Amino acid sequence: MVYDPLLHLTNGQTRMANVRDQIQMALAIADSALLKSLLSNCLPPIAASFQIGTISSEVSVPVKDHASADGILQFEAIRCVLASSPYLESPSANSSRTKDSKELTRLTQHESEMHTLAQNLPLAPAIALLTSSGFQRDQIQDILRLPHYAWYKSWWHAIDTNGNFTMPFLRCIRTFHYPDGTLTLQYKDFFEQEKPDCFTTLPQKILITIRTDTQGFADTLQQINRQREALNIKKAVLVCHTVSELEIQAFTKQHISLYPANDLILPVQASCERCGRHECPMNHRVNSPVIMCRGFLVEGELL
């Protein structure tokens, strides 16, 4: 068996009887911090925490004629962020001006097509959209007060698949106002090589599968692949108690990340005096201060 700080290897005596129910309840009621942990603390990570925007979960998702999926995480993957750029500063010397001009030309040599960020949107939702994109209050006022066909220019960074910031690109935004009080926001990007693939975020779905102790590698992989195909989801997180080093390599090669089940089991009201976990130092202590515990198990329920 392999030891990894993310995958706590446990034996049968430390598991709770309804692990699947416990984990699904945790997914159903969990706050965003726990759901983000599933994506950023799995092995290998799906996304870094700063790349995860809004996130939500579904449990017991129907899958055609097969058994329902344990869960699905839906999140907004942050792909573009506002950046401060030294190229916006006015150079003080002719030599610097020439150098910066060449650098600016290199960074903006390609132009994207025109995109519509919002169509006939009321003012309040438009402000909320720009705020969630990272613009400050004064920047939003400048964007919304633009003369007809004028452009607001800002520098941005894209985030690559490894979580690294790319070279900056220039984004130009314009606003059209209509008599009914709504407005339309359009933008286009000027970049060096790779065109940004969204304004700020892209929607993503991740399959969550809870592995039981009776499932072998082949059965688990077959279940995940069947559900990924039916739900049109590429990546998956496998929640499990025990895993061998060979299984870790095999699952990760199949684009399946691993996450420790213990981190998702909800704490329950505990009584150390009646607990069957004999390896715990608080076991059978009458005056134990422990009230809630993730691993509490009545002695008669030991597997």
Side-chain angles (χ1 to χ4, degrees):
M1 304 296 270
V2 67
Y3 175 79
D4 188 279
L6 290 177
L7 300 169
H8 309 292
L9 302 183
T10 59
N11 56 45
Q13 290 187 332
T14 62
R15 297 189 213 114
M16 299 183 66
N18 335 333
V19 172
R20 173 170 272 110
D21 284 348
Q22 284 285 317
I23 293 174
Q24 285 190 321
M25 284 189 288
L27 291 176
I29 67 177
D31 59 15
S32 60
L34 191 148
L35 298 181
K36 286 182 178 181
S37 175
L38 263 171
L39 300 176
S40 58
N41 294 330
C42 56
L43 180 71
I46 299 291
S49 56
F50 72 89
Q51 294 177 268
I52 303 172
T54 57
I55 185 171
S56 61
S57 64
E58 298 177 71
V59 295
S60 296
V61 181
V63 185
K64 295 183 179 179
D65 299 330
H66 305 291
S68 61
D70 292 317
I72 294 178
L73 290 189
Q74 302 182 59
F75 73 102
E76 294 291 327
I78 299 173
R79 302 291 289 269
C80 296
V81 292
L82 269 167
S84 58
S85 172
Y87 309 114
L88 295 178
E89 300 176 0
S90 300
S92 57
N94 289 336
S95 59
S96 297
R97 182 179 293 109
T98 302
K99 180 179 179 180
D100 288 352
S101 178
K102 290 180 179 179
E103 186 72 1
L104 184 62
T105 301
R106 180 179 67 83
L107 291 174
T108 58
Q109 59 184 311
H110 300 294
E111 179 180 346
S112 74
E113 65 274 24
M114 184 75 69
H115 299 279
T116 298
L117 178 61
Q119 181 78 44
N120 295 104
L121 201 64
L123 180 60
I127 293 175
L129 175 61
L130 293 171
T131 301
S132 65
S133 300
F135 288 105
Q136 300 300 311
R137 189 173 183 178
D138 56 339
Q139 295 174 310
I140 295 174
Q141 291 179 350
D142 290 341
I143 293 172
L144 297 180
R145 291 175 180 173
L146 287 171
H148 198 56
Y149 285 106
W151 294 92
Y152 180 86
K153 298 180 179 180
S154 55
W155 285 95
W156 292 67
H157 283 294
I159 303 176
D160 63 22
T161 54
N162 296 320
N164 300 316
F165 293 108
T166 65
M167 291 296 291
F169 65 90
L170 182 65
R171 174 163 286 167
C172 299
I173 304 175
R174 68 182 182 185
T175 308
F176 294 111
H177 295 268
Y178 303 105
D180 62 358
T182 63
L183 51 88
T184 290
L185 295 171
Q186 293 182 328
Y187 73 96
K188 59 182 176 179
D189 298 324
F190 296 85
F191 53 95
E192 181 183 10
Q193 291 181 342
E194 292 190 20
K195 180 175 64 174
D197 55 5
C198 64
F199 190 74
T200 55
T201 63
L202 284 177
Q204 302 285 332
K205 285 187 176 183
I206 305 297
L207 175 69
I208 305 297
T209 299
I210 304 168
R211 186 187 189 185
T212 64
D213 298 329
T214 58
Q215 280 183 302
F217 171 79
D219 290 338
T220 305
L221 183 60
Q222 184 181 51
Q223 174 188 339
I224 292 174
N225 285 340
R226 187 169 55 237
Q227 293 177 350
R228 286 197 293 194
E229 182 178 3
L231 297 169
N232 193 26
I233 297 176
K234 293 183 179 180
K235 294 185 178 181
V237 173
L238 178 63
V239 180
C240 53
H241 272 290
T242 58
V243 64
S244 68
E245 185 172 0
L246 188 59
E247 283 180 319
I248 289 178
Q249 296 178 26
F251 279 125
T252 55
K253 287 291 184 180
Q254 299 299 312
H255 306 289
I256 299 170
S257 298
L258 304 173
Y259 191 87
N262 287 356
D263 287 2
L264 288 176
I265 294 176
L266 295 172
V268 296
Q269 189 169 357
S271 170
C272 294
E273 186 179 5
R274 298 187 298 110
C275 183
R277 293 184 57 197
H278 300 290
E279 74 280 3
C280 177
M282 305 301 291
N283 186 246
H284 287 173
R285 280 189 55 175
V286 179
N287 60 344
S288 169
V290 177
I291 299 175
M292 302 292 288
C293 179
R294 293 177 185 269
F296 172 66
L297 190 65
V298 177
E299 193 151 8
E301 296 180 355
L302 277 173
L303 299 178

